[in-house]
Amino acid sequence: MAPAVNSSSLVSSQTKKPANAGTALHRKGLAPPAVEDFGTQDARAYQQLKKKGTDLEKYIFLSWLRNTNLDMFYRLVLGHLKEIAPIIYTPTVGQACQEFSNIYPFLAPPNAVDGLYIPLTEVDHIDEIIQNYKRTIPAGCEPDITVITDGSRILGLGDLGINGMGIPVGKLQLYVAAGGLDPTRCLPIVLDFGTDNSKFLEDPLYLGIRQKRPQDAEFYAATEKVLKSLTKAFPSLFIQFEDFNTPHAFGLLEQWRNQILCFNDDIQGTGSVVLSAFISAIRQAGIPAKDQRILFVGAGSAGVGVAKQLVDYLEIEHKIPEEQAKAMFWFVDSRGMITANRGDTLAEHKVYFARQDNGATQCKSLEETLEYVRPTALIGLSTIYKAFNEKILTRLNEMNSTARPIVFPLSNPMTKAECTFEEAMRYTNNRVLFASGTAFPEYTVPGTEIPVEPVQANNCWVFPPIGLGAVLSKPKCITDTMIFAVSKALANSLNEQEKANGELLPRIERIREVSAEVAAAFIHQAVREGLARDDKWIALVNQSDSPLGPDALPDGVFSQNVLAEVKKSIWAPAQSVRQLVQNKL
């Protein structure tokens, strides 16, 4: 949607005679007479944002702004990214999703199109739905990227049905803010395939279809119809699967990853950013990578996806054979330590990491497993609030007296986090190497006046540059080695000050700068593997790098000429009315 422009603002950039301009535009008397530049208007918007009493109110205000003045919205986001990112995405987006059916009418003006809502009952009319969408967009503005969910596993909040639409909307805002994709070419989609959440089925204000979710056969058949129609209508579309329940997340990725340009952020993105933070942590931990003992709490799609990428890293980077690398990992789920002889039927995705060397030992709790494994690293994707309690963290610290313990509580939102940054610091005597899935306040070590800022292993470090790199280079598919190259490039992007501070990821203020570098590394790897389809990027990479074939090792490097072209491709909001008008021509 084209951003609204006040005629007074137009006058300030176009002419020194507001009255004449008002006459020429036939706007005289239809707006206040004050002449303002964008800086003044942005300051007013920020002032109004600060006056909102709750984060949900701020979310609603920002959503309305985005749907009425796109450039102002992104100027505000980019100017206050650290403050606003937790409002437009986690943790506030979780509350926004829970309240979505209640707040939907107040997020945008009437008839504004802010994505596709595809009910299961209308899947046979998917081509008509896509044509309806095409009629709402200007010629030449077909979407480059879509984020698609069915709302069945939203963050750590469970099945939210159609209310999960807040996730694709929020995710795409970060693709723009962090990665520089064009917001007019972003398409959020929710597959309204029902919900098994009785709370919403019984809620008179719920906006989705009122039926239980379908069985697998119907789910996969309906999803296939949607994906085939989308890729027929938009052949270069980059598709990101988001927040499907665990079996469907793995199933969709397995089915489609080699057929279309797609990506699952829960599985691949989470693993990539955690891998990057883990690479940095290993460099600082004080013990070799081969001696790490890694305990995962939570064995859903994200947890297993992360662990598999860490196994790949240990194989590729440290030359540890797969079976030996896999043996460095233990998992705990709701029944305790996952073993092949536990006595229950394991979900298919859990089998790979099930222990077979435990003999008769079965650990029924995290506490028992901790004592049995004696881990060097504790990674949480359990959505169990305070799972890493004082006892757990204290024992972990005691077990690692000669090395720094690694603690990654990755569940979000904050109400699902395994521990806070302050708790991790206090119970490990401030020795912890920490990265979390949600934002935490900084912590001042007692006896000092120096605040320590926690690292957030937010996927926004990886999915925006993956999306940008994919949209630009148009690979046939996204491989594990491309994702690995992204992790390496992100770990290598730390500047000297960040390294000196012991940080595991760059500062959020540098996210656009870093995203350009990571996207350049992604493009290099796509060309090296012979999968990129855009001639411009193939030529640029080949000027400085020789294609190495599908077995090319992902080193995360990039050339300066590719980086320069990536930076030229990044979208930015208009900084003046003149630029705004030029952008519309």
Side-chain angles (χ1 to χ4, degrees):
M1 177 178 290
V5 181
N6 185 297
S7 62
S8 300
S9 299
L10 190 61
V11 166
S12 69
S13 290
Q14 300 289 340
T15 178
K16 295 181 180 180
K17 298 179 180 180
N20 292 343
T23 299
L25 295 168
H26 307 291
R27 296 289 296 171
K28 184 181 291 185
L30 302 183
V35 178
E36 296 180 336
D37 59 18
F38 278 5
T40 303
Q41 295 184 353
D42 295 351
R44 179 186 291 110
Y46 183 63
Q47 183 185 72
Q48 289 300 308
L49 177 67
K50 298 292 285 185
K51 287 182 177 180
K52 301 302 177 184
T54 67
D55 285 345
L56 185 60
E57 289 174 325
K58 293 177 181 179
Y59 178 93
I60 294 169
F61 171 81
L62 288 169
S63 179
W64 186 274
L65 180 62
R66 178 175 55 82
N67 281 289
T68 54
N69 195 326
L70 191 67
D71 287 83
M72 181 185 287
F73 169 79
Y74 280 108
R75 287 196 304 273
L76 206 63
V77 171
L78 291 172
H80 307 275
L81 184 59
K82 188 175 179 180
E83 177 182 355
I84 292 179
I87 298 172
I88 62 175
Y89 204 60
T90 57
T92 306
V93 73
Q95 184 183 3
C97 286
Q98 290 174 308
E99 297 291 334
F100 186 81
S101 287
N102 299 320
I103 65 176
Y104 172 76
F106 316 110
L107 300 178
N111 300 319
V113 177
D114 199 19
L116 292 184
Y117 299 80
I118 304 175
L120 183 63
T121 52
E122 298 291 343
V123 164
D124 288 338
H125 303 286
I126 183 60
D127 289 335
E128 177 186 350
I129 291 172
I130 292 173
Q131 287 304 313
N132 289 341
Y133 168 70
K134 282 187 171 183
R135 293 187 182 97
T136 71
I137 59 177
C141 286
E142 293 186 346
D144 289 325
I145 179 172
T146 181
V147 175
I148 184 168
T149 187
D150 70 346
S152 58
R153 190 195 63 83
I154 297 298
L155 303 173
L157 303 172
D159 184 353
L160 301 188
I162 202 172
N163 294 333
M165 181 53 142
I167 295 297
V169 170
K171 205 90 174 188
L172 286 166
Q173 290 172 52
L174 292 181
Y175 269 107
V176 176
L181 280 87
D182 184 342
T184 65
R185 304 183 73 134
C186 295
L187 175 60
I189 298 177
V190 62
L191 303 177
D192 183 13
F193 285 6
T195 177
D196 292 334
N197 191 325
S198 59
K199 172 186 173 182
F200 295 125
L201 292 175
E202 297 166 5
D203 182 355
L205 297 181
Y206 179 62
L207 292 172
I209 59 174
R210 297 175 186 275
Q211 64 183 53
K212 295 282 190 178
R213 291 189 175 275
Q215 297 298 311
D216 282 358
E218 186 179 4
F219 167 85
Y220 284 111
T223 306
E224 181 171 348
K225 288 180 182 179
V226 172
L227 293 175
K228 285 186 173 180
S229 292
L230 281 171
T231 52
K232 180 179 70 174
F234 311 117
S236 298
L237 188 66
F238 171 68
I239 298 172
Q240 188 208 298
F241 300 117
E242 180 73 17
D243 283 357
F244 287 82
N245 68 39
T246 297
H248 289 167
F250 278 102
L252 287 172
L253 185 62
E254 182 66 24
Q255 179 181 359
W256 293 101
R257 64 179 304 175
N258 294 318
Q259 297 187 49
I260 61 176
L261 182 56
C262 67
F263 167 74
N264 185 301
D265 189 45
D266 299 309
I267 298 171
Q268 297 164 290
T270 300
S272 180
V273 72
V274 174
L275 170 56
S276 185
F278 194 75
I279 291 171
S280 298
I282 284 180
R283 292 170 179 172
Q284 301 179 45
I287 58 173
K290 65 180 180 61
D291 295 329
Q292 293 285 339
R293 299 169 64 84
I294 305 159
L295 177 57
F296 273 76
V297 182
S301 61
V304 173
V306 167
K308 284 187 174 180
Q309 286 181 257
L310 295 184
V311 169
D312 290 342
Y313 161 72
L314 293 167
E315 280 189 84
I316 295 171
E317 187 75 6
H318 296 278
K319 307 296 187 283
I320 300 173
E322 180 184 358
E323 287 303 311
Q324 184 180 338
K326 184 174 71 170
M328 296 165 61
F329 293 80
W330 289 259
F331 273 81
V332 171
D333 64 8
S334 60
R335 294 175 176 264
M337 184 172 70
I338 297 178
T339 65
N341 62 349
R342 192 168 66 176
D344 59 333
T345 301
L346 296 176
E348 184 177 351
H349 70 277
K350 296 182 182 182
V351 172
Y352 180 82
F353 285 106
R355 302 299 300 195
Q356 300 188 34
D357 58 354
N358 57 299
T361 301
Q362 302 293 342
C363 301
K364 297 182 179 180
S365 66
L366 172 57
E367 290 83 355
E368 289 182 28
T369 309
L370 188 80
E371 296 297 333
Y372 175 73
V373 175
R374 300 184 67 82
T376 58
L378 191 58
I379 299 177
L381 281 153
S382 66
T383 71
I384 299 174
Y385 184 59
K386 304 289 188 182
F388 300 167
N389 55 36
E390 179 179 0
K391 181 179 179 181
I392 293 292
L393 292 170
T394 300
R395 282 295 293 137
L396 180 70
N397 189 52
E398 292 170 351
M399 292 171 179
N400 293 277
S401 59
T402 61
R404 296 180 66 183
I406 298 170
V407 177
F408 287 6
L410 299 174
S411 295
N412 58 55
M414 192 177 297
T415 54
K416 303 289 185 178
E418 287 81 7
C419 69
T420 67
F421 179 53
E422 178 179 351
E423 290 164 346
M425 289 288 283
R426 283 199 288 123
Y427 300 139
T428 63
N429 295 327
N430 309 311
R431 301 173 59 248
V432 69
L433 291 165
F434 179 92
S436 62
T438 194
F440 287 110
E442 57 189 23
Y443 172 71
T444 301
V445 177
T448 75
E449 297 182 358
I450 302 174
V452 181
E453 190 167 334
V455 170
Q456 184 182 5
N458 195 306
N459 292 22
C460 69
W461 282 112
V462 293
F463 68 78
I466 289 171
L468 179 60
V471 166
L472 294 177
S473 63
K474 299 178 175 56
K476 296 177 183 177
C477 60
I478 293 178
T479 64
D480 290 340
T481 40
M482 292 178 200
I483 303 296
F484 188 91
V486 163
S487 300
K488 286 290 294 293
L490 179 57
N492 293 340
S493 70
L494 291 168
N495 62 31
E496 293 307 315
Q497 185 61 56
E498 290 160 346
K499 292 176 184 177
N501 292 342
E503 297 176 25
L504 305 184
L505 293 172
R507 290 295 180 99
I508 192 69
E509 292 82 1
R510 295 204 303 123
I511 195 164
R512 274 206 160 193
E513 169 194 342
V514 171
S515 288
E517 296 178 1
V518 175
F522 176 94
I523 291 169
H524 265 267
Q525 189 64 27
V527 173
R528 282 179 160 195
E529 296 181 27
L531 294 173
R533 291 176 292 181
D534 189 285
D535 291 339
K536 169 186 173 179
W537 298 99
I538 294 172
L540 278 170
V541 170
N542 287 338
Q543 287 174 8
S544 57
D545 192 5
S546 299
L548 301 180
D551 297 324
L553 290 179
D555 51 18
V557 300
F558 51 86
S559 61
Q560 289 304 308
N561 61 331
V562 170
L563 177 60
E565 287 300 313
V566 169
K567 288 181 177 179
K568 291 178 185 177
S569 304
I570 288 177
W571 180 89
Q575 299 299 322
S576 69
V577 175
R578 187 178 303 278
Q579 183 186 355
L580 179 62
V581 172
Q582 290 173 344
N583 290 347
K584 302 303 175 187
L585 296 179

